[in-house]
Amino acid sequence: MQVDRRSFLGGAGAICAAAVASETHAATAKAKRPNIIFIMADDLGYADLSCTGSHHIRTPAIDSIGAQGVQLRQGYANSSICSPTRTALLTGCYQYRFALGLEEPLSPTAPEGVGVPLAQPTIASVLRDIGYRTKLVGKWHLGDPPKHSPLHHGYDEFFGIVEGAADYFRHHMVIGGKDVGIGLAKGDTPLERNGYLTDLFGDEAVKTIQAPHDKPFFLSLHFNAPHWPWEGREDAAVAQTLGSSYHFNGGNLAKYKEMVEAMDQNVAKILAALDEAGKADNTIIVFTSDNGGERFSETWPFIGVKGELLEGGIRVPLLVRWPGRIAAGSKSEQVMISMDFLPTLLAMAGGDVTRAGTFDGMDLSAHLTGKAAPASRTLYWRFKSNAQAALRDGDWKYLMLGGKEHLFNLAEDERERADHASDAPARVKAMRLQWDSWNAQMLSYPLGSLSEDVREHYADRY
């Protein structure tokens, strides 16, 4: 068939117009990608917010995230302790797939150079790949610079502490009265700066929000509060005389309240900065914790604390706000865990999860935005201390703790007191085998890291 010049030019013009329209649509879609602020507290218990039931702590700014979005009552951490959860958050996978995740927690005695494999997609790298500028402010605790700094795992910028804890004024771990480790850093370089760490992190987050940029931002803000040492804003003099950051002989409920409320005041600054910059309506905000509460925390109605696979050690606050997409004041019974944030936030940002990599986490974007009913989940945990193991399959939870097997129906008894292990032995056995099948796919703990009694009884399972 012959095509005359006019028809050819008209067709070519239509093709060009379609191409331009497609490019314009892509550019518009890119421009509309939401900013993302992911806020994670350190050792904050489930009931340490006023919106989750605290008896004495007031957190109006943090509460407002849930009041203006959705509050999930069944939010979980991937571990009952910090660095394994952070490994899962970073990778979107069970932490037990990586040598780093077997360090519970990562300590100076860990193998030299341990970290997430550099080729592993991360929550920062997958967002950077679709056009985000990425920044981590706060606690890292996933390996030492330069090889395993945040800058080598998808973050364009880093301002925070490298190790798992730091004095709030000296900005280092303190052992034997001396500052140790890298401490506060900017990028891969140690940094000297005066101030209370919670405020420094809040101020840096505000600067990030205020900075002009032609890209959307992903800001991961990992407060070290309310992790020990037990110091409030007026304790600079105390910090100078502190012999150890572990501070096991210090702290009280009043000091803990002060530390959590200082964090809330910094969240208030961040929310105000978003409003002032005109970015609030196009920003997703998440607030959660890295594990259950420690000694001064409230975990009601759950039992257990940090370091235990009882609900109090792994159930955490979880609030998500996205104006116009998540209905204000929503409540959700969706079960969600730390490793879900990578696929969920990537999907909310308009990315393609299947092209980004293979993850254990689940894309729950439709469930958070009310487009889908809560999905049943099957989740696994283990913890080498006391050979703990847990499996949640729907409403049922299998728990190995203290050398004994337990079985709970969380829909009927979330306090884990009505133990069905003796009256449902078939279910216990089935869930044990289910856990064993999953565990066989994970890395084994080095036997040298297990106590003698654990090695004797459970080495074949771990």
Side-chain angles (χ1 to χ4, degrees):
M1 182 180 71
Q2 291 186 334
V3 180
D4 61 32
R5 184 172 182 273
R6 179 177 295 178
S7 298
F8 174 81
L9 292 175
I15 292 171
C16 290
V20 170
S22 177
E23 291 176 3
T24 302
H25 175 75
T28 301
K30 182 178 179 181
K32 290 184 177 179
R33 291 196 196 277
N35 301 305
I36 302 170
I37 300 178
F38 182 90
I39 306 173
M40 186 160 67
D42 196 348
D43 288 2
L44 188 77
Y46 176 81
D48 283 334
L49 304 177
S50 42
C51 69
T52 55
S54 176
H55 286 87
H56 65 125
I57 300 171
R58 294 295 169 260
T59 53
I62 297 170
D63 296 347
S64 74
I65 298 171
Q68 297 167 15
V70 60
Q71 181 172 333
L72 285 80
R73 197 171 185 281
Q74 302 200 63
Y76 283 96
N78 259 76
S79 176
S80 61
I81 202 162
C82 49
S83 53
T85 290
R86 293 166 195 273
T87 301
L89 170 68
L90 187 71
T91 63
C93 299
Y94 280 111
Q95 62 271 26
Y96 321 104
R97 295 191 183 279
F98 309 100
L100 174 64
L102 304 185
E103 301 296 325
E104 295 176 334
L106 180 62
S107 71
T109 60
E112 185 177 355
V114 68
V116 169
L118 297 178
Q120 173 67 33
T122 69
I123 193 170
S125 71
V126 299
L127 289 168
R128 187 172 66 182
D129 288 346
I130 63 169
Y132 278 77
R133 57 187 173 109
T134 59
K135 184 171 184 175
L136 174 62
V137 174
K139 177 174 168 178
W140 173 235
H141 202 197
L142 292 176
D144 290 335
K147 181 178 180 180
H148 285 298
S149 77
L151 303 186
H152 287 79
H153 292 284
Y155 290 100
D156 297 318
E157 299 178 70
F158 170 57
F159 175 93
I161 56 171
V162 173
E163 289 84 17
D167 186 275
Y168 285 79
F169 296 93
R170 297 165 69 165
H171 307 160
H172 286 265
M173 280 284 289
V174 179
I175 298 177
K178 297 181 180 180
D179 295 347
V180 299
I182 296 169
L184 186 65
K186 183 174 183 179
D188 291 344
T189 306
L191 177 68
E192 294 291 333
R193 185 169 293 183
N194 294 325
Y196 186 64
L197 268 181
T198 305
D199 293 332
L200 292 182
F201 294 157
D203 291 343
E204 187 70 18
V206 168
K207 291 177 185 176
T208 303
I209 293 166
Q210 293 173 335
H213 211 286
D214 60 353
K215 293 182 178 181
F217 63 77
F218 169 58
L219 170 61
S220 216
L221 172 58
H222 299 180
F223 286 109
N224 62 315
H227 194 290
W228 45 257
W230 314 109
E231 297 171 345
R233 287 189 176 115
E234 307 304 317
D235 294 325
V238 174
Q240 295 308 313
T241 62
L242 199 64
S244 172
S245 292
Y246 292 100
H247 208 188
F248 292 144
N249 63 341
N252 51 49
L253 290 175
K255 186 58 61 180
Y256 187 78
K257 166 185 167 75
E258 184 181 338
M259 295 169 73
V260 175
E261 292 187 352
M263 178 172 61
D264 184 73
Q265 290 156 16
N266 277 278
V267 172
K269 292 191 305 191
I270 290 162
L271 298 179
L274 283 172
D275 287 334
E276 292 167 6
K279 298 176 181 178
D281 288 343
N282 192 36
T283 299
I284 299 167
I285 304 176
V286 178
F287 181 90
T288 191
S289 179
D290 64 344
N291 48 248
E294 214 204 18
R295 67 201 75 181
F296 299 117
S297 279
E298 287 191 271
T299 61
W300 179 266
F302 312 113
I303 58 171
V305 293
K306 175 182 178 180
E308 297 175 334
L309 296 184
L310 290 157
E311 292 292 285
I314 53 178
R315 190 84 72 102
V316 292
L318 179 49
L319 314 170
V320 186
R321 188 184 93 173
W322 191 10
R325 302 296 186 93
I326 296 176
S330 301
K331 304 288 185 182
S332 176
E333 290 299 322
Q334 176 62 58
V335 174
M336 188 171 190
I337 194 168
S338 312
M339 64 186 177
D340 294 333
F341 288 113
L342 188 159
T344 299
L345 292 175
L346 179 59
M348 293 167 83
D352 186 333
V353 177
T354 59
R355 293 183 62 184
T358 302
F359 310 106
D360 295 313
M362 180 177 177
D363 169 15
L364 295 173
S365 55
H367 306 277
L368 297 183
T369 55
K371 296 178 181 178
S376 182
R377 302 297 302 281
T378 301
L379 299 174
Y380 302 84
W381 293 265
R382 69 184 197 191
F383 191 60
K384 67 186 177 187
S385 176
N386 298 323
Q388 296 179 62
L391 159 61
R392 175 165 181 173
D393 191 352
D395 292 332
W396 287 96
K397 180 178 177 181
Y398 165 84
L399 176 68
M400 169 69 78
L401 182 65
K404 296 181 179 179
E405 292 180 308
H406 308 271
L407 181 66
F408 304 105
N409 186 321
L410 295 178
E412 298 175 353
D413 167 41
E414 60 189 8
R415 195 158 172 77
E416 296 173 289
R417 291 302 195 191
D419 192 344
H420 293 277
S422 61
D423 57 77
R427 185 182 291 274
V428 170
K429 181 179 179 180
M431 294 187 76
R432 180 198 312 131
L433 293 175
Q434 183 180 350
W435 187 93
D436 285 343
S437 178
W438 164 82
N439 186 54
Q441 304 170 51
M442 303 295 125
L443 296 180
S444 298
Y445 291 120
L447 292 184
S449 73
L450 303 176
S451 63
E452 184 175 349
D453 60 327
V454 172
R455 286 202 301 271
E456 180 180 353
H457 294 290
Y458 303 110
D460 59 330
R461 300 185 71 198
Y462 289 89

